[in-house]
Amino acid sequence: MSELTHPISVTASQTLESQYTSGVYPKRDLTIVRGKGVKVWDEAGREYFDCVAGIAVAVLGHANPIIVDALTKQAETLITCPGIFHNDKRAQLLEKLVAITPTNLTRGYLSNSGAEAVEAALKFARLATGRTQVISTMRGFHGRTMGALSLTGNPKYQKPFKPLVPDTQQVPYNKLEKLEAAMSSQTAAVVLEVIQGEGGVRPADQTYIDAVRALCDEHGALLIIDEIQTGFGRTGKLFACEHYNLQPDILCLAKALGGGLPIGATMISEAVAEKLHPGAHGTTYGGNPLVSAVSLAVINAILDQDLAAHAAEMGAHAHQRINDANLDVVREVRGKGLIIGIELKQKVYPTLVALQQMGVLCVPAGVTTLRLVPPLVISKDELDRVLDLVIQVLRS
Ligand SMILES: Cc1ncc(COP(=O)(O)O)c(C=O)c1O
């Protein structure tokens, strides 16, 4: 391996990554090298409010001592232990997940990412029902592995990889008729987000969610809810399902669950678990002690600090301020808690660039929606500073 003989400048590190990366990520003109709380810094020492947070991942902010302590302590104790053995930290994490997720979910499978949580849900639905048809929604996002991609309702992502998993289809979101027409005695599962994240920060209606639950029961199909982006306090409740008083048969979790470390979880009802058998699924790193210990610490911090209530309060404040600003360019403000979608009457990309120049990092959700998913620990003062800058940029 060659040695670096000079410090990497901003340009040099971007050139280096561009030279060796696969090229599948559209890159921004920014190299992030450090983070603390809700802020990150680039190589030139410029600071940014991080309303990306690893894309709704860093709920406790960056370099949080709770995470650093749990990580350090567990790294010195035991990092890896495959699923064929029992492990204390994995056991405690599963117990905690069962305790905090909807009451009918009594068991969980641990993996390493959101897409993997969805892949497991797909396999479990086939085993539990003996059926193959899976229906998801347009604009829904469930990941990019072949199974998850087959459910992700975005033709741009799906088209180059066809044929996808057979017997999968997408129907319009938040509208019942097409779903009703598509469902039959062959339907294994319906998969959806109760608030679509990537698809534009779109909360579903209560009547729609109630009707989908009833349709699944009527047809003997499972309802798989993807809370990979909305879980763990982001929407102002611990899980977005709670806004709808909804009990899914399978719940997919990831992102915030690890506070920045890679983890996925597929929570299942007893009826689903009864149909699984040893060897049905698995992954080398799933539920490893290191990530399990951190995940436990993250969940405990979310509960101890009541970050769900804080997210609800901050979200309401943000909606109020953006609406009160009466910005000509804004079509609508959507979301719950600290998943904030600002739909513009124009493409969002120039706004993202302008905000980055002003020291605020955001992500798009679709072509015209600006999405803010800051760490849940953001203070009111920090949020107000972010909102000042967002309003300033949207007004200019
Ligand atoms: C709702 C939802 N499901 C699934 C995924 C896929 O998760 P991952 O990127 O960890 O595979 C994402 C990622 O953005 C997501 O927002």
Side-chain angles (χ1 to χ4, degrees), residues 52-61 67 93 97 100 113-114 227-235 237-239 252-265 291-292 294-302 307 373-376:
V52 177
I55 313 192
V57 165
V59 271
L60 301 187
I67 294 184
L93 175 59
L97 283 170
I100 62 172
S113 69
E227 286 226 36
I228 285 163
Q229 186 153 163
T230 53
F232 300 99
R234 167 92 23 216
T235 68
K237 302 257 187 207
L238 206 46
F239 297 99
C252 297
L253 304 170
K255 288 191 184 276
L257 172 56
L261 267 70
I263 184 168
V291 178
S292 295
V294 170
S295 183
L296 253 179
V298 171
I299 296 173
N300 285 333
I302 292 170
L307 291 180
V373 279
L376 301 187

Short mmCIF file of all heavy atoms in Angstrom, two decimals, residues 52-61 67 93 97 100 113-114 227-235 237-239 252-265 291-292 294-302 307 373-376:
data_model
loop_
_atom_site.label_atom_id
_atom_site.label_comp_id
_atom_site.label_asym_id
_atom_site.label_seq_id
_atom_site.Cartn_x
_atom_site.Cartn_y
_atom_site.Cartn_z
N VAL A 52 -29.18 16.30 7.75
CA VAL A 52 -29.19 15.02 7.04
C VAL A 52 -29.02 13.90 8.08
O VAL A 52 -29.77 12.92 8.09
CB VAL A 52 -28.06 14.94 6.00
CG1 VAL A 52 -28.04 13.59 5.32
CG2 VAL A 52 -28.19 16.06 4.96
N ALA A 53 -28.05 14.10 8.99
CA ALA A 53 -27.81 13.16 10.09
C ALA A 53 -27.71 11.71 9.61
O ALA A 53 -28.33 10.80 10.17
CB ALA A 53 -28.92 13.31 11.15
N GLY A 54 -26.90 11.51 8.56
CA GLY A 54 -26.72 10.16 8.04
C GLY A 54 -27.99 9.65 7.37
O GLY A 54 -28.15 8.44 7.20
N ILE A 55 -28.87 10.54 7.00
CA ILE A 55 -30.24 10.29 6.50
C ILE A 55 -31.08 9.63 7.61
O ILE A 55 -31.38 8.44 7.59
CB ILE A 55 -30.29 9.53 5.17
CG1 ILE A 55 -29.29 10.16 4.16
CG2 ILE A 55 -31.74 9.58 4.62
CD1 ILE A 55 -29.42 9.70 2.73
N ALA A 56 -31.42 10.45 8.58
CA ALA A 56 -32.30 10.06 9.70
C ALA A 56 -31.68 8.96 10.56
O ALA A 56 -32.40 8.11 11.11
CB ALA A 56 -33.67 9.64 9.18
N VAL A 57 -30.36 8.97 10.68
CA VAL A 57 -29.65 7.92 11.42
C VAL A 57 -29.14 8.43 12.78
O VAL A 57 -29.42 7.83 13.83
CB VAL A 57 -28.47 7.38 10.58
CG1 VAL A 57 -27.50 6.57 11.43
CG2 VAL A 57 -28.99 6.56 9.41
N ALA A 58 -28.41 9.55 12.75
CA ALA A 58 -27.70 10.02 13.95
C ALA A 58 -28.67 10.74 14.90
O ALA A 58 -28.58 11.94 15.11
CB ALA A 58 -26.55 10.94 13.55
N VAL A 59 -29.60 9.99 15.48
CA VAL A 59 -30.63 10.59 16.34
C VAL A 59 -30.05 11.29 17.56
O VAL A 59 -30.60 12.26 18.05
CB VAL A 59 -31.67 9.55 16.80
CG1 VAL A 59 -32.81 9.44 15.83
CG2 VAL A 59 -31.05 8.23 17.12
N LEU A 60 -28.94 10.77 18.08
CA LEU A 60 -28.32 11.37 19.27
C LEU A 60 -27.24 12.38 18.89
O LEU A 60 -26.47 12.83 19.75
CB LEU A 60 -27.71 10.30 20.18
CG LEU A 60 -28.66 9.21 20.71
CD1 LEU A 60 -27.92 8.33 21.72
CD2 LEU A 60 -29.91 9.81 21.35
N GLY A 61 -27.17 12.70 17.62
CA GLY A 61 -26.14 13.61 17.14
C GLY A 61 -24.82 12.87 16.94
O GLY A 61 -24.74 11.65 17.11
N ILE A 67 -22.92 6.94 23.03
CA ILE A 67 -22.55 5.95 21.99
C ILE A 67 -21.08 5.59 22.10
O ILE A 67 -20.71 4.41 22.05
CB ILE A 67 -22.89 6.50 20.58
CG1 ILE A 67 -24.41 6.64 20.45
CG2 ILE A 67 -22.31 5.60 19.50
CD1 ILE A 67 -24.90 7.08 19.09
N LEU A 93 -31.11 -6.60 23.70
CA LEU A 93 -31.65 -5.73 22.65
C LEU A 93 -32.99 -6.27 22.14
O LEU A 93 -33.95 -5.51 21.97
CB LEU A 93 -30.64 -5.60 21.49
CG LEU A 93 -31.15 -4.81 20.28
CD1 LEU A 93 -31.54 -3.38 20.66
CD2 LEU A 93 -30.12 -4.79 19.16
N LEU A 97 -36.54 -4.36 22.18
CA LEU A 97 -37.31 -4.09 20.96
C LEU A 97 -38.74 -4.62 21.08
O LEU A 97 -39.70 -3.96 20.68
CB LEU A 97 -36.60 -4.69 19.74
CG LEU A 97 -35.39 -3.90 19.24
CD1 LEU A 97 -34.62 -4.69 18.19
CD2 LEU A 97 -35.80 -2.55 18.67
N ILE A 100 -40.85 -2.30 23.29
CA ILE A 100 -41.25 -0.94 22.86
C ILE A 100 -42.04 -0.91 21.55
O ILE A 100 -42.67 0.10 21.24
CB ILE A 100 -40.01 0.00 22.73
CG1 ILE A 100 -39.03 -0.50 21.67
CG2 ILE A 100 -39.33 0.17 24.08
CD1 ILE A 100 -37.90 0.48 21.38
N SER A 113 -28.93 -3.64 7.96
CA SER A 113 -29.36 -2.46 7.20
C SER A 113 -30.86 -2.50 7.01
O SER A 113 -31.52 -3.52 7.27
CB SER A 113 -28.69 -2.42 5.82
OG SER A 113 -29.22 -3.46 5.01
N GLY A 114 -31.38 -1.38 6.48
CA GLY A 114 -32.80 -1.32 6.20
C GLY A 114 -33.22 -2.31 5.13
O GLY A 114 -34.20 -3.04 5.29
N GLU A 227 -40.79 1.10 8.98
CA GLU A 227 -40.49 2.30 9.79
C GLU A 227 -38.98 2.51 9.89
O GLU A 227 -38.46 2.95 10.92
CB GLU A 227 -41.12 2.16 11.19
CG GLU A 227 -42.61 2.34 11.19
CD GLU A 227 -43.08 3.25 12.30
OE1 GLU A 227 -42.37 4.23 12.62
OE2 GLU A 227 -44.15 2.96 12.84
N ILE A 228 -38.31 2.16 8.82
CA ILE A 228 -36.86 2.29 8.80
C ILE A 228 -36.45 3.76 8.95
O ILE A 228 -35.48 4.07 9.63
CB ILE A 228 -36.32 1.63 7.50
CG1 ILE A 228 -36.40 0.10 7.69
CG2 ILE A 228 -34.92 2.11 7.15
CD1 ILE A 228 -36.31 -0.71 6.43
N GLN A 229 -37.24 4.64 8.36
CA GLN A 229 -36.92 6.07 8.47
C GLN A 229 -37.69 6.76 9.61
O GLN A 229 -37.23 7.72 10.18
CB GLN A 229 -37.23 6.78 7.14
CG GLN A 229 -36.79 8.21 7.12
CD GLN A 229 -36.47 8.75 5.73
OE1 GLN A 229 -36.42 9.93 5.55
NE2 GLN A 229 -36.22 7.90 4.76
N THR A 230 -38.87 6.26 9.91
CA THR A 230 -39.75 6.99 10.86
C THR A 230 -39.65 6.49 12.29
O THR A 230 -40.19 7.13 13.20
CB THR A 230 -41.22 6.88 10.40
OG1 THR A 230 -41.54 5.50 10.23
CG2 THR A 230 -41.45 7.64 9.12
N GLY A 231 -38.99 5.36 12.50
CA GLY A 231 -38.97 4.74 13.83
C GLY A 231 -38.11 5.48 14.85
O GLY A 231 -37.32 6.36 14.51
N PHE A 232 -38.32 5.14 16.11
CA PHE A 232 -37.49 5.60 17.24
C PHE A 232 -37.58 7.11 17.50
O PHE A 232 -36.57 7.79 17.68
CB PHE A 232 -36.03 5.15 17.06
CG PHE A 232 -35.93 3.66 16.98
CD1 PHE A 232 -35.83 3.02 15.76
CD2 PHE A 232 -36.02 2.89 18.12
CE1 PHE A 232 -35.80 1.64 15.68
CE2 PHE A 232 -35.99 1.51 18.07
CZ PHE A 232 -35.89 0.88 16.84
N GLY A 233 -38.82 7.60 17.51
CA GLY A 233 -39.06 8.96 17.99
C GLY A 233 -39.11 10.02 16.93
O GLY A 233 -39.56 11.14 17.19
N ARG A 234 -38.64 9.73 15.73
CA ARG A 234 -38.51 10.76 14.69
C ARG A 234 -39.82 11.54 14.47
O ARG A 234 -39.80 12.75 14.26
CB ARG A 234 -38.05 10.06 13.38
CG ARG A 234 -38.16 10.86 12.13
CD ARG A 234 -36.96 11.68 11.70
NE ARG A 234 -35.65 11.33 12.13
CZ ARG A 234 -34.69 12.24 12.43
NH1 ARG A 234 -34.96 13.55 12.37
NH2 ARG A 234 -33.50 11.86 12.80
N THR A 235 -40.96 10.83 14.48
CA THR A 235 -42.24 11.49 14.10
C THR A 235 -42.98 12.08 15.29
O THR A 235 -44.11 12.54 15.16
CB THR A 235 -43.18 10.50 13.39
OG1 THR A 235 -43.62 9.52 14.36
CG2 THR A 235 -42.50 9.80 12.23
N LYS A 237 -43.71 10.26 18.01
CA LYS A 237 -44.07 9.08 18.82
C LYS A 237 -42.91 8.11 18.62
O LYS A 237 -42.15 8.22 17.65
CB LYS A 237 -45.34 8.41 18.30
CG LYS A 237 -46.56 9.32 18.29
CD LYS A 237 -47.48 9.00 19.44
CE LYS A 237 -48.77 9.79 19.32
NZ LYS A 237 -49.37 10.04 20.64
N LEU A 238 -42.81 7.12 19.52
CA LEU A 238 -41.69 6.20 19.37
C LEU A 238 -41.73 5.54 17.99
O LEU A 238 -40.71 5.41 17.31
CB LEU A 238 -41.73 5.15 20.50
CG LEU A 238 -40.40 4.54 20.88
CD1 LEU A 238 -39.30 5.56 21.04
CD2 LEU A 238 -40.57 3.73 22.17
N PHE A 239 -42.93 5.12 17.57
CA PHE A 239 -43.12 4.59 16.21
C PHE A 239 -44.30 5.30 15.55
O PHE A 239 -45.29 5.61 16.22
CB PHE A 239 -43.33 3.07 16.24
CG PHE A 239 -42.11 2.38 16.77
CD1 PHE A 239 -42.06 1.98 18.10
CD2 PHE A 239 -40.99 2.22 15.99
CE1 PHE A 239 -40.91 1.40 18.62
CE2 PHE A 239 -39.83 1.66 16.50
CZ PHE A 239 -39.78 1.25 17.82
N CYS A 252 -40.43 -3.30 10.00
CA CYS A 252 -39.02 -3.22 9.60
C CYS A 252 -38.39 -1.96 10.19
O CYS A 252 -38.94 -0.86 10.05
CB CYS A 252 -38.92 -3.16 8.08
SG CYS A 252 -39.56 -4.64 7.29
N LEU A 253 -37.25 -2.13 10.81
CA LEU A 253 -36.55 -1.04 11.50
C LEU A 253 -35.08 -1.01 11.09
O LEU A 253 -34.52 -2.05 10.73
CB LEU A 253 -36.65 -1.23 13.01
CG LEU A 253 -38.06 -1.36 13.59
CD1 LEU A 253 -38.00 -1.79 15.06
CD2 LEU A 253 -38.82 -0.05 13.45
N ALA A 254 -34.47 0.16 11.17
CA ALA A 254 -33.01 0.28 10.92
C ALA A 254 -32.60 1.70 11.31
O ALA A 254 -33.08 2.20 12.32
CB ALA A 254 -32.68 -0.02 9.45
N LYS A 255 -31.75 2.31 10.52
CA LYS A 255 -31.33 3.72 10.68
C LYS A 255 -31.10 4.13 12.14
O LYS A 255 -30.07 3.81 12.70
CB LYS A 255 -32.34 4.63 9.99
CG LYS A 255 -32.26 4.56 8.45
CD LYS A 255 -33.08 5.66 7.81
CE LYS A 255 -33.11 5.58 6.28
NZ LYS A 255 -31.99 6.19 5.64
N ALA A 256 -32.07 4.85 12.75
CA ALA A 256 -31.88 5.39 14.10
C ALA A 256 -31.55 4.32 15.13
O ALA A 256 -30.91 4.59 16.14
CB ALA A 256 -33.15 6.13 14.54
N LEU A 257 -31.99 3.11 14.87
CA LEU A 257 -31.78 2.00 15.80
C LEU A 257 -30.31 1.83 16.19
O LEU A 257 -30.00 1.44 17.31
CB LEU A 257 -32.34 0.71 15.17
CG LEU A 257 -32.10 -0.63 15.83
CD1 LEU A 257 -32.59 -0.65 17.28
CD2 LEU A 257 -32.80 -1.74 15.04
N GLY A 258 -29.40 2.13 15.28
CA GLY A 258 -27.98 1.98 15.59
C GLY A 258 -27.32 3.30 15.95
O GLY A 258 -26.13 3.31 16.28
N GLY A 259 -28.03 4.40 15.84
CA GLY A 259 -27.45 5.72 16.14
C GLY A 259 -26.28 6.07 15.25
O GLY A 259 -25.56 7.04 15.51
N GLY A 260 -26.07 5.30 14.20
CA GLY A 260 -24.95 5.55 13.29
C GLY A 260 -24.22 4.26 12.94
O GLY A 260 -23.50 4.18 11.95
N LEU A 261 -24.40 3.24 13.77
CA LEU A 261 -23.81 1.94 13.44
C LEU A 261 -24.82 1.15 12.60
O LEU A 261 -26.03 1.32 12.77
CB LEU A 261 -23.45 1.17 14.71
CG LEU A 261 -21.99 1.40 15.14
CD1 LEU A 261 -21.82 2.82 15.63
CD2 LEU A 261 -21.57 0.41 16.20
N PRO A 262 -24.32 0.27 11.74
CA PRO A 262 -25.24 -0.43 10.84
C PRO A 262 -26.03 -1.54 11.55
O PRO A 262 -25.44 -2.43 12.17
CB PRO A 262 -24.32 -1.04 9.77
CG PRO A 262 -22.97 -1.08 10.38
CD PRO A 262 -22.91 -0.03 11.46
N ILE A 263 -27.35 -1.44 11.44
CA ILE A 263 -28.21 -2.48 12.03
C ILE A 263 -29.57 -2.43 11.35
O ILE A 263 -30.02 -1.36 10.92
CB ILE A 263 -28.35 -2.30 13.57
CG1 ILE A 263 -29.18 -3.45 14.18
CG2 ILE A 263 -28.93 -0.94 13.94
CD1 ILE A 263 -29.14 -3.53 15.69
N GLY A 264 -30.22 -3.58 11.28
CA GLY A 264 -31.61 -3.65 10.83
C GLY A 264 -32.34 -4.61 11.76
O GLY A 264 -31.72 -5.48 12.38
N ALA A 265 -33.65 -4.44 11.89
CA ALA A 265 -34.44 -5.38 12.71
C ALA A 265 -35.77 -5.62 12.03
O ALA A 265 -36.38 -4.70 11.49
CB ALA A 265 -34.65 -4.80 14.11
N VAL A 291 -22.69 -3.90 17.95
CA VAL A 291 -23.80 -3.04 17.49
C VAL A 291 -24.99 -3.18 18.44
O VAL A 291 -25.69 -2.20 18.71
CB VAL A 291 -24.17 -3.38 16.03
CG1 VAL A 291 -25.34 -2.52 15.58
CG2 VAL A 291 -22.98 -3.15 15.12
N SER A 292 -25.22 -4.37 18.96
CA SER A 292 -26.34 -4.56 19.89
C SER A 292 -26.17 -3.69 21.13
O SER A 292 -27.14 -3.08 21.61
CB SER A 292 -26.46 -6.04 20.30
OG SER A 292 -26.78 -6.84 19.19
N VAL A 294 -24.49 -0.89 21.44
CA VAL A 294 -24.70 0.52 21.08
C VAL A 294 -26.19 0.78 20.88
O VAL A 294 -26.74 1.79 21.35
CB VAL A 294 -23.89 0.88 19.81
CG1 VAL A 294 -24.28 2.25 19.29
CG2 VAL A 294 -22.40 0.83 20.12
N SER A 295 -26.83 -0.12 20.18
CA SER A 295 -28.26 0.05 19.89
C SER A 295 -29.07 0.13 21.18
O SER A 295 -29.97 0.96 21.31
CB SER A 295 -28.70 -1.13 19.02
OG SER A 295 -30.02 -0.96 18.67
N LEU A 296 -28.76 -0.71 22.12
CA LEU A 296 -29.43 -0.68 23.44
C LEU A 296 -29.24 0.68 24.10
O LEU A 296 -30.18 1.27 24.64
CB LEU A 296 -28.79 -1.72 24.35
CG LEU A 296 -29.56 -2.98 24.67
CD1 LEU A 296 -28.71 -3.88 25.57
CD2 LEU A 296 -30.90 -2.69 25.33
N ALA A 297 -28.02 1.18 24.06
CA ALA A 297 -27.71 2.48 24.68
C ALA A 297 -28.48 3.59 23.97
O ALA A 297 -28.99 4.52 24.61
CB ALA A 297 -26.21 2.75 24.62
N VAL A 298 -28.59 3.48 22.63
CA VAL A 298 -29.32 4.50 21.86
C VAL A 298 -30.80 4.48 22.24
O VAL A 298 -31.40 5.52 22.51
CB VAL A 298 -29.13 4.27 20.34
CG1 VAL A 298 -30.06 5.17 19.53
CG2 VAL A 298 -27.69 4.51 19.93
N ILE A 299 -31.38 3.29 22.27
CA ILE A 299 -32.82 3.19 22.61
C ILE A 299 -33.05 3.74 24.02
O ILE A 299 -33.99 4.52 24.26
CB ILE A 299 -33.32 1.73 22.52
CG1 ILE A 299 -33.23 1.24 21.09
CG2 ILE A 299 -34.76 1.63 23.03
CD1 ILE A 299 -33.56 -0.24 20.91
N ASN A 300 -32.20 3.37 24.96
CA ASN A 300 -32.37 3.85 26.34
C ASN A 300 -32.28 5.37 26.41
O ASN A 300 -33.05 6.01 27.14
CB ASN A 300 -31.34 3.20 27.28
CG ASN A 300 -31.72 1.76 27.57
OD1 ASN A 300 -32.91 1.40 27.53
ND2 ASN A 300 -30.74 0.92 27.85
N ALA A 301 -31.36 5.94 25.63
CA ALA A 301 -31.24 7.41 25.62
C ALA A 301 -32.48 8.06 25.03
O ALA A 301 -32.98 9.07 25.55
CB ALA A 301 -29.99 7.83 24.84
N ILE A 302 -33.01 7.47 23.96
CA ILE A 302 -34.24 8.02 23.34
C ILE A 302 -35.38 8.00 24.36
O ILE A 302 -36.14 8.97 24.49
CB ILE A 302 -34.63 7.20 22.08
CG1 ILE A 302 -33.59 7.42 20.97
CG2 ILE A 302 -36.03 7.56 21.59
CD1 ILE A 302 -33.73 6.49 19.78
N LEU A 307 -37.10 11.73 23.70
CA LEU A 307 -36.81 12.44 22.45
C LEU A 307 -37.99 12.46 21.49
O LEU A 307 -38.09 13.33 20.63
CB LEU A 307 -35.56 11.85 21.79
CG LEU A 307 -34.25 12.10 22.55
CD1 LEU A 307 -33.07 11.47 21.81
CD2 LEU A 307 -33.99 13.60 22.73
N VAL A 373 -34.11 16.16 8.39
CA VAL A 373 -34.20 15.08 9.38
C VAL A 373 -33.02 15.23 10.36
O VAL A 373 -32.13 14.38 10.41
CB VAL A 373 -34.21 13.67 8.71
CG1 VAL A 373 -35.58 13.31 8.20
CG2 VAL A 373 -33.19 13.56 7.56
N PRO A 374 -33.01 16.30 11.14
CA PRO A 374 -31.86 16.56 12.02
C PRO A 374 -31.80 15.55 13.17
O PRO A 374 -32.78 14.83 13.42
CB PRO A 374 -32.18 17.96 12.57
CG PRO A 374 -33.66 18.06 12.52
CD PRO A 374 -34.10 17.27 11.32
N PRO A 375 -30.69 15.52 13.89
CA PRO A 375 -30.64 14.70 15.11
C PRO A 375 -31.80 15.10 16.03
O PRO A 375 -32.16 16.28 16.11
CB PRO A 375 -29.29 15.08 15.73
CG PRO A 375 -28.45 15.53 14.58
CD PRO A 375 -29.40 16.20 13.63
N LEU A 376 -32.38 14.11 16.72
CA LEU A 376 -33.53 14.40 17.60
C LEU A 376 -33.11 15.25 18.80
O LEU A 376 -33.96 15.81 19.47
CB LEU A 376 -34.18 13.11 18.08
CG LEU A 376 -34.72 12.16 17.00
CD1 LEU A 376 -35.50 11.01 17.63
CD2 LEU A 376 -35.57 12.88 15.97
#
